[in-house]
């Protein structure tokens, strides 16, 4: 009917690999943020990156 010990090994492996992926991603974003900002300011978020960076709108709104 299956091996409960093996199931727990799989659960532990899944949790450990999830924690590893989270930690690695968090560390890489921290490092990248030290070189170039990852987040943008609130005004840029409201206006949009296309308008702020390029002075253009991506979509005309006539859809």
């Amino acid at each position: 009917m299956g091996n409960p010990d093996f199931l727990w090994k799989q659960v532990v492996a899944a949790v450990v690999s999830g924690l590893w992926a989270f930690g690695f991603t968090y560390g890489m974003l921290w490092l990248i943020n030290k070189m170039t900002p990852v987040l943008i300011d609130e005004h840029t978020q409201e206006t949009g990156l296309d308008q702020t960076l390029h002075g253009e709108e991506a979509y005309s709104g006539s859809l």
Side-chain angles (χ1 to χ4, degrees):
M1 186 92 170
N3 186 350
D5 290 335
F6 187 66
L7 174 65
W8 285 113
K9 288 178 184 178
Q10 288 179 323
V11 169
V12 169
V15 169
V16 168
S17 61
L19 289 172
W20 169 257
F22 174 81
F24 183 79
T25 302
Y26 187 86
M28 290 305 294
L29 281 173
W30 178 83
L31 183 63
I32 291 168
N33 194 42
K34 292 296 180 188
M35 294 180 222
T36 182
V38 176
L39 298 177
I40 56 176
D41 60 60
E42 189 173 330
H43 172 35
T44 303
Q45 283 182 344
E46 291 173 2
T47 306
L49 286 173
D50 290 326
Q51 186 68 34
T52 304
L53 296 177
H54 308 294
E56 299 177 352
E57 289 187 29
Y59 304 101
S60 63
S62 62
L63 296 174

